[in-house]
Amino acid sequence: MHDDRSLVEARLKRVLEERIRPAVYPESVPLTVSVWTAPGEPVPVAEGLAAPRSPIAVGDAWGAPWSTSWLTVAGTVPAAWAGRTVEALIDLGFDANMPGFQCEGLVYRPDGTPVKGLNPQNQWVRIAAPAAGGEPVLLHVEAAANPVILDYHPFLPTELGDKETAGDEPQYRLARMDLAVFDETVWQLVLDLEVLGELMAELPADGARRWELLRAVERALDAIDLQDVNGTAAAARSRLVEVLAAPAAPSAHRIGAIGHAHIDSAWLWPLRETVRKVARTAANMTALLEDEPDFLYTMSQAQQFAWIKEHRPEVYARVKKAVADGRFVPAGGMWVESDTNMPSSEAMARQFVHGKRFFLAEFGIENEEAWLPDTFGFTGGLPQIIRNAGSKWLLTQKISWSQINKFPHHTFLWEGIDGTRIFTHFPPVDTYNCSMKGSEIAHAARNFKDKGVARHSLAPTGWGDGGGGTTREMVGKAARLRDLEGSATVRWQRPAEFFAEAEAEYPKPPVWVGELYLELHRATLTSQARTKQGNRRSENLLREAELWCATAALRTGLAYPYERLDRIWKTVLLHQFHDILPGSSIAWVHREAEATYAGLAAELEELIDAAQRALAGDPAGGRELVFNGAPHGRSAVPAGGAAVAVAGPGDCSVAAREGGGFVLDNGLLRVVVDGDGLVLSAVDAASGREAVAPGGRANLLQLHPDFPNMWDAWDVDQFYRNTVTDLVAAEEVAVHAEGPAEVAVRVVRSFGSSAVTQTLTLRAGSGRLDIDTEVDWHEAEKFLKLAFPLDVHTERYAAETQFGHQFRPTHTNTSWDAAKFEACNHRFVHLAEPGWGVALVTPSTYGHDVTRAVRPDDGGTTTTVRFSLLRAPRFPDPRTDQGRHRFRHALVPGAEIGDAVREGYAVGLPERRVTGSAESVRPLVELDQDALVVSAVKLADDGSGDLVVRVYESGGGRARGRLATSFALAAAVPCDLLERPWDGTRGEVVADGDGVRLALRPFELVTLRLTPAR
Ligand SMILES: [Zn+2]
């Protein structure tokens, strides 16, 4: 037979496009449209409905950036349409090539009840089926003119990302505004042909099934009268019944599809717009659930449910009902889909606490899966947190975005730094916006790495971010793919059911140990430094506020601020969303975040101050008490307690150095700063060993060009290192402080349009050289690093993460090692030879790199640690990071891992001084073993008055110790993160009088509920 395959395929394409799809709506009449534009920010629904309208017509421009227009559409169903299905088609001026990321609407009835959302791929509103004919139509649309920030020419700087700079040029033109007849038979024919045509294109050209489909499609096309598609569509469909009924092969890959809309809690729009995006999408999805009995939908992020509850109660009522019916499925059990690299141990834990608690309280549902499809990498600390939250599964597809290496599994056990293993699935469809296209279904089946031993994968299906979620077309295609020869099978499935089935069929999955590093978006550890510092400051202040408020509550009866702490935590958790904390949102989001963090800091300082005053007693007592919120004692003040300040003798000295510069010494550390303000030498007195590599100079600022190939705020590409400028010229190197307690040298430099002032400080009794850097940053597309070349020979180094640290190589042996050229630490990196090491600690710099070189002259190894201070990408915020910044970094020569942990906490938790009458404040709990670190002391969230203390093993070894309470202890119970009794602790927790004996395994965390005797 002659090969006419491409001829028939081209025919299908043209006929579908030009004749069949347009025939879905064969008749239409225009609607009358009127408009009112809210003068500023969005207004309440009642106000928008009541506002006076002016006429507007199809083709007219509307929508200054970020404005809201209330449209009213009115008309009458023609009498001749009696018995037909009638829909309104409302095209706000959508660019149908982008499923979201632009204008959107929510349709209301005149009484204010929401109907559904309007999105680029979802412009219809059902009016009547069947119509009576002659009925009046009146609908209102709250239309948001969200400007397009990312389009066909992506990553160009734009001023549209903040309402303060966006201008008032209308962004859209009203397009089709019609009442139309909906021909369901033609619509079904479109789906038949799309499913078969797309499947056909994926099948081997020499396979029989492909040709069967081709011939069936040809027969269907032959049945269509192109001048009467509506009259012949049924006949065409009848010619496809047989090929659509042929069942899938028994070995076919099995896809569990779940309706989904990935809605970024802020990104190319501000938080307030997400509130509305979520409501529109939830309105769409609850409506679709009613129309489609097989369909299931999942939504993650408790915060988004909370927004609907607060702002669109009518939509929330629909959501609650659909959740109760088991069809709208809350997923993930986290407050938001957060970043996981940067949140602190406690914050990462609280993401689950607040997320799971919300779903339990609102719906009585406990999630067992963590749902993080789009997060930029996963720390080795996360598995233990998931397990301690009472969950056991993880879903993400993001690692498929890695630039270099293909991850070897789609379903596997992921083992964290403490040995916890979490059953993990990466959907092989490689997207969280599956649209049921044949190419996606075939890709999932082909791509699935665990073929032969496993058969199931999950496909989150629907348009996110203003796309409105799953469409009825996707549901229609899924129905055809349920059991279709040549295709993977598709059925709607809840995430928990998928995981249970996948786990059951795969009893011995492969294991991946350590972090799931995303080989992309590495610059999200650095971009928008003020947002990152606001997060870390808030985390530290929350630690202190909980500690001192709990101490004051138990000691003095001061009321514990449950509600305020709950609200502040949720605000901090929201801002850890995977486009806010990573710095990848528009200017508006980061401007607001900085203001929000400033407000939280003021509120938390007030709580801390009130608690400490209550503990210190009458200020007339005149005693200056030093409060220590860190987990280790310092200067005679116990951890979590306070004592009267004692000024030590102090023996710091600073002397001019021959040839320029200064020598700083405090008996523990001797530091030589040269005439350029760089650290030539740092010798730890205890060992007599030099930390700085021969020929190297530490505290070196280095400037690189930084213009990635795409994703400006997100990415730094490897080639940035090819060009570097060492910022060595100093305008001033002078003694800044000189006394027995403290000596300091100040260094002033300028470069480009920017200036830097650094203060290098040595304090009495401290083995730490503190480097405070103030930058007035006015560069574009540059990367600023702070380098420490160290004389340490090691193949790996430790970087702190949640509840411990993870190791990374200092070399680039494999493509996997080489790809980690920028990585995350929390408060320290530590590198060591046996018996001697160095730590670099910081309160708020997450990005860093570590490289090695062998010196030609002495053959020694120089390991260089560089902190990533600032970048200056121009998209999506054209002025990212411009202005003033303050950083602290510190060099700790001679540090063991325990010193790194201690100094890491100490730099971010300064002592506080309060005048009162008390002689001291005894800590509520004390530990007798340094490796056991307290990460939280708080009152139980249930208001019982119990104390909750979380402790972890911080060194990566076994630790045995006793936690002593300074109050009479009635009971001590190990708990999960949600403060529920839990028997999952693997070490030993044994009540022992007024205390608890603990024996923890490496990096193990344990949460204790301590009930005081009353
Ligand atoms: Zn996202």
Side-chain angles (χ1 to χ4, degrees):
M1 190 172 170
H2 297 296
D3 183 349
D4 62 346
R5 182 169 57 83
S6 52
L7 199 66
V8 178
E9 286 172 2
R11 179 184 175 199
L12 171 64
K13 184 170 181 292
R14 183 174 184 192
V15 174
L16 197 52
E17 187 62 39
E18 295 183 21
R19 300 300 167 92
I20 306 178
R21 283 200 192 100
V24 171
Y25 292 104
E27 289 174 61
S28 62
V29 294
L31 288 158
T32 351
V33 194
S34 55
V35 66
W36 173 74
T37 298
E41 283 293 277
V43 299
V45 175
E47 196 179 327
L49 292 175
R53 303 289 197 261
S54 329
I56 185 170
V58 166
D60 286 354
W62 71 280
W66 306 114
S67 68
T68 299
S69 291
W70 285 82
L71 300 166
T72 297
V73 296
T76 306
V77 175
W81 292 0
R84 321 270 303 263
T85 298
V86 177
E87 295 188 342
L89 292 175
I90 304 177
D91 183 346
L92 300 173
F94 295 118
D95 179 344
N97 292 308
M98 287 185 292
F101 316 107
Q102 50 183 294
C103 63
E104 276 180 81
L106 182 55
V107 180
Y108 297 88
R109 293 189 191 91
D111 67 358
T113 49
V115 182
K116 69 184 283 289
L118 292 173
N119 308 90
Q121 309 281 359
N122 200 334
Q123 306 175 8
W124 57 274
V125 183
R126 183 61 62 92
I127 300 296
E135 57 262 63
V137 174
L138 182 65
L139 294 170
H140 304 283
V141 181
E142 180 188 15
N146 304 327
V148 174
I149 307 283
L150 188 59
D151 63 8
Y152 308 114
H153 304 285
F155 315 122
L156 292 179
T158 171
E159 296 293 350
L160 289 169
D162 193 333
K163 64 176 175 179
E164 292 185 353
T165 57
D168 51 13
E169 188 71 27
Q171 301 290 298
Y172 299 99
R173 271 177 201 284
L174 284 189
R176 191 172 187 184
M177 307 293 258
D178 285 345
L179 273 183
V181 171
F182 175 74
D183 185 331
E184 181 165 352
T185 307
V186 177
W187 181 81
Q188 298 283 9
L189 176 62
V190 170
L191 297 182
D192 290 346
L193 290 171
E194 282 182 355
V195 165
L196 295 173
E198 288 164 8
L199 171 60
M200 198 162 70
E202 298 299 324
L203 293 172
D206 56 1
R209 176 67 170 162
R210 180 157 184 160
W211 290 87
E212 280 178 13
L213 296 183
L214 189 83
R215 297 275 82 97
V217 164
E218 183 175 47
R219 287 193 297 274
L221 295 176
D222 290 341
I224 292 170
D225 176 348
L226 294 180
Q227 274 66 50
D228 183 16
V229 172
N230 301 86
T232 51
R237 288 201 74 201
S238 71
R239 295 185 176 189
L240 298 171
V241 169
E242 198 178 326
V243 284
L244 282 166
S251 63
H253 183 65
R254 293 174 190 177
I255 294 175
I258 182 68
H260 189 48
H262 179 75
I263 302 184
D264 291 295
S265 287
W267 180 29
L268 302 175
W269 47 87
L271 286 166
R272 68 93 160 139
E273 192 54 33
T274 318
V275 173
R276 301 198 298 176
K277 271 182 198 290
V278 172
R280 292 177 201 119
T281 299
N284 266 355
M285 292 301 92
T286 48
L288 190 66
L289 286 167
E290 283 182 16
D291 294 346
E292 300 286 352
D294 289 340
F295 177 57
L296 299 168
Y297 183 74
T298 196
M299 182 169 129
S300 68
Q301 314 199 54
Q303 169 72 83
Q304 298 192 351
F305 286 81
W307 277 332
I308 307 179
K309 184 180 181 184
E310 183 184 346
H311 297 279
R312 290 291 186 277
E314 310 87 342
V315 177
Y316 195 64
R318 280 156 57 170
V319 169
K320 271 202 108 155
K321 181 180 178 304
V323 171
D325 293 344
R327 313 234 353 251
F328 193 114
V329 185
M334 292 176 71
W335 188 249
V336 296
E337 288 182 18
S338 71
D339 182 77
T340 80
N341 281 314
M342 293 174 277
S344 69
S345 311
E346 274 309 310
M348 205 65 247
R350 307 296 172 99
Q351 286 287 356
F352 288 92
V353 170
H354 288 280
K356 292 190 82 155
R357 195 175 279 153
F358 183 91
F359 291 144
L360 277 164
E362 289 290 313
F363 310 121
I365 285 174
E366 174 148 16
N367 296 101
E368 293 188 297
E369 78 291 328
W371 181 272
L372 292 166
D374 194 30
T375 290
F376 309 156
F378 304 87
T379 62
L382 188 57
Q384 182 175 209
I385 295 170
I386 293 173
R387 181 172 171 273
N388 271 257
S391 296
K392 54 184 182 181
W393 301 313
L394 169 70
L395 176 135
T396 182
Q397 66 80 46
K398 198 65 180 183
I399 302 301
S400 72
W401 287 43
S402 278
Q403 271 173 324
I404 312 294
N405 296 289
K406 268 244 171 247
F407 200 81
H409 323 295
H410 283 103
T411 302
F412 61 101
L413 292 176
W414 176 34
E415 182 179 317
I417 54 173
D418 70 311
T420 298
R421 290 179 171 186
I422 294 292
F423 188 83
T424 299
H425 180 63
F426 293 178
V429 70
D430 283 349
T431 177
Y432 44 75
N433 298 316
C434 176
S435 63
M436 287 293 138
K437 262 208 185 107
S439 54
E440 292 170 332
I441 302 304
H443 176 76
R446 273 197 292 263
N447 188 37
F448 187 55
K449 295 272 197 302
D450 305 83
K451 286 192 276 279
V453 277
R455 186 175 283 170
H456 290 80
S457 72
L458 197 68
T461 299
W463 302 124
D465 285 342
T470 317
T471 63
R472 60 185 179 185
E473 287 77 16
M474 295 175 196
V475 177
K477 291 173 87 166
R480 288 159 174 80
L481 294 167
R482 194 175 177 84
D483 191 12
L484 182 61
E485 187 189 347
S487 173
T489 67
V490 175
R491 68 189 156 127
W492 297 106
Q493 192 175 34
R494 295 172 189 87
E497 287 162 3
F498 161 76
F499 272 107
E501 205 166 79
E503 205 171 19
E505 76 168 353
Y506 205 2
K508 284 189 180 165
V511 179
W512 180 269
V513 176
E515 69 180 320
L516 297 170
Y517 179 93
L518 177 63
E519 297 170 356
L520 197 75
H521 295 358
R522 302 166 180 90
T524 58
L525 305 172
T526 305
S527 297
Q528 299 286 5
R530 280 181 290 260
T531 296
K532 290 175 168 60
Q533 290 188 331
N535 172 66
R536 176 50 62 81
R537 185 175 62 236
S538 305
E539 291 173 341
N540 287 338
L541 290 171
L542 274 162
R543 174 196 174 96
E544 288 193 89
E546 288 185 338
L547 167 67
W548 300 123
C549 290
T551 309
L554 260 65
R555 285 285 151 66
T556 73
L558 189 73
Y560 189 78
Y562 291 104
E563 287 81 18
R564 290 177 81 182
L565 288 170
D566 183 76
R567 173 175 47 76
I568 295 169
W569 261 118
K570 286 172 177 165
T571 307
V572 172
L573 298 176
L574 166 60
H575 286 79
Q576 292 176 342
F577 177 74
H578 66 257
D579 283 305
I580 306 179
L581 180 55
S584 45
S585 281
I586 52 173
W588 188 347
V589 174
H590 292 288
R591 175 170 58 77
E592 280 192 342
E594 287 169 32
T596 300
Y597 284 131
L600 295 185
E603 197 174 352
L604 288 165
E605 292 283 0
E606 191 188 304
L607 291 176
I608 293 165
D609 188 58
Q612 292 186 335
R613 281 173 191 280
L615 289 163
D618 188 354
R623 286 202 181 90
E624 189 176 55
L625 281 173
V626 178
F627 283 80
N628 176 16
H632 306 90
R634 51 184 167 183
S635 20
V637 185
V644 172
V646 186
D651 51 359
C652 297
S653 67
V654 56
R657 170 180 170 264
E658 206 174 310
F662 300 92
V663 179
L664 292 73
D665 202 329
N666 68 354
L668 297 173
L669 195 58
R670 183 176 182 275
V671 174
V672 179
V673 178
D674 71 7
D676 291 327
L678 300 175
V679 176
L680 265 187
S681 163
V683 174
D684 142 47
S687 65
R689 188 165 159 174
E690 174 64 70
V692 180
R697 297 195 287 177
N699 185 40
L700 174 65
L701 287 163
Q702 295 185 301
L703 195 63
H704 296 270
D706 180 13
F707 187 58
N709 290 346
M710 49 183 181
W711 299 109
D712 297 44
W714 295 254
D715 283 0
V716 55
D717 283 327
Q718 205 160 4
F719 51 74
Y720 89 94
R721 283 191 188 158
N722 298 355
T723 309
V724 61
T725 306
D726 292 348
L727 305 176
V728 292
E731 284 149 27
E732 182 191 322
V733 180
V735 172
H736 179 64
E738 188 173 7
E742 179 178 314
V743 288
V745 169
R746 199 167 92 115
V747 183
V748 179
R749 309 179 195 282
S750 58
F751 57 91
S753 308
S754 306
V756 178
T757 302
Q758 287 187 303
T759 311
L760 287 70
T761 306
L762 210 52
R763 292 181 177 82
S766 167
R768 205 172 82 200
L769 174 68
D770 285 347
I771 301 174
D772 291 289
T773 303
E774 194 176 327
V775 188
D776 191 13
W777 179 246
H778 297 283
E779 305 304 307
E781 292 158 356
K782 296 282 193 299
F783 200 0
L784 183 66
K785 290 259 183 180
L786 182 64
F788 297 85
L790 303 170
D791 190 11
V792 178
H793 175 80
T794 181
E795 287 179 13
R796 66 176 195 175
Y797 73 98
E800 194 192 26
T801 186
Q802 293 101 3
F803 299 113
H805 54 264
Q806 54 202 10
F807 290 102
R808 298 194 185 93
T810 61
H811 56 73
T812 54
N813 280 1
T814 69
S815 58
W816 295 83
D817 302 330
K820 293 180 185 171
F821 59 82
E822 184 78 14
C824 186
N825 68 280
H826 280 195
R827 284 165 294 213
F828 67 78
V829 297
H830 179 258
L831 44 159
E833 294 171 6
W836 194 85
V838 186
L840 283 151
V841 300
T842 168
S844 63
T845 300
Y846 301 95
H848 69 276
D849 69 83
V850 178
T851 52
R852 60 194 274 133
V854 173
R855 301 184 292 270
D857 39 355
D858 70 346
T861 303
T862 298
T863 305
T864 301
V865 177
R866 300 195 308 162
F867 283 118
S868 307
L869 270 53
L870 287 167
R871 300 180 69 237
R874 298 179 63 217
F875 182 88
D877 175 359
R879 278 172 290 280
T880 307
D881 278 332
Q882 300 300 297
R884 288 194 175 272
H885 300 268
R886 286 167 184 274
F887 302 97
R888 172 169 284 188
H889 302 90
L891 175 67
V892 195
E896 295 180 4
I897 198 79
D899 302 309
V901 174
R902 187 187 64 243
E903 297 302 330
Y905 274 102
V907 286
L909 293 163
E911 294 168 339
R912 294 172 181 271
R913 285 160 194 267
V914 177
T915 303
S917 55
E919 283 175 26
S920 66
V921 176
R922 204 173 151 201
L924 291 176
V925 296
E926 286 181 278
L927 279 153
D928 59 4
Q929 151 66 268
D930 260 5
L932 296 177
V933 168
V934 169
S935 80
V937 173
K938 62 190 282 290
L939 290 197
D941 292 339
D942 61 8
S944 61
D946 288 351
L947 189 71
V948 168
V949 178
R950 193 148 30 245
V951 178
Y952 70 102
E953 196 291 317
S954 63
R958 305 286 176 112
R960 200 171 270 283
R962 184 171 183 275
L963 179 139
T965 59
S966 61
F967 52 87
L969 186 60
V973 178
C975 286
D976 69 2
L977 295 177
L978 276 78
E979 305 174 1
R980 304 174 294 195
W982 191 55
D983 57 7
T985 304
R986 283 169 293 183
E988 291 168 38
V989 179
V990 182
D992 175 23
D994 288 336
V996 180
R997 274 187 290 117
L998 296 170
L1000 299 190
R1001 299 191 187 199
F1003 299 130
E1004 182 173 13
L1005 75 86
V1006 63
T1007 303
L1008 298 170
R1009 177 187 277 263
L1010 305 173
T1011 307
R1014 294 184 178 100

